[in-house]
Amino acid sequence: AAPPGPPIYVDLAYLPGSWSARTVDEEFFRRVRSLCYVVSGDDHLKEGVLRSLLDALLTGKHQWGTDIQVTLIPTFDSLVMHEWYQETHERQQELGITVLGSNSTVAMQDETFPACKVEF
């Protein structure tokens, strides 16, 4: 358990992947308050805990008690993410959470990849 203390405010937070993704719970989101959370790491380990991580964001954000907009930026396509988005869309709106879906691509030299732009 984390020692008691005030929340930490940041502009951008990357959520851990692989085995470390299991450590992200509602207490994490209550304590680490970010304008943008990046969910990266398209791997089978994260897929197994992705739903609980996303639900923890909703629960943790609810405890903030402020009207801060939050952007969730997934860097991979996932059935779990799609289902969570559909099932909790109204709750996301109530809490001021926006999930970015990226249909944009960036072309560099011989490589093309999906991307989105985040401004602060």
Side-chain angles (χ1 to χ4, degrees):
I8 298 167
Y9 294 88
V10 296
D11 290 331
L12 180 70
Y14 282 85
L15 300 177
S18 297
W19 290 105
S20 297
R22 296 177 297 150
T23 64
V24 179
D25 57 10
E26 73 179 68
E27 179 67 13
F28 173 89
F29 289 108
R30 189 185 68 72
R31 298 280 299 273
V32 180
R33 300 180 182 188
S34 182
L35 296 176
C36 297
Y37 292 101
V38 177
V39 182
S40 61
D42 184 14
D43 60 49
H44 70 282
L45 297 174
K46 185 165 229 167
E47 192 74 15
V49 297
L50 184 57
R51 179 63 192 234
S52 62
L53 185 147
L54 296 170
D55 288 340
L57 169 62
L58 296 176
T59 305
K61 173 74 167 73
H62 176 74
Q63 296 176 27
W64 291 11
T66 59
D67 193 24
I68 297 173
Q69 285 294 122
V70 168
T71 302
L72 183 66
I73 307 169
T75 63
F76 59 96
D77 197 22
S78 161
L79 180 60
V80 172
M81 177 70 75
H82 285 277
E83 290 173 351
W84 176 83
Y85 180 83
Q86 293 296 324
E87 293 170 12
T88 65
H89 186 69
E90 286 182 28
R91 183 83 172 127
Q92 295 166 41
Q93 289 180 320
E94 290 170 10
L95 294 172
I97 297 172
T98 301
V99 179
L100 288 186
S102 179
N103 292 329
S104 300
T105 57
V106 173
M108 293 180 67
Q109 298 171 358
D110 296 331
E111 187 177 7
T112 303
F113 49 90
C116 67
K117 179 179 179 181
V118 179
E119 292 185 24
F120 296 100

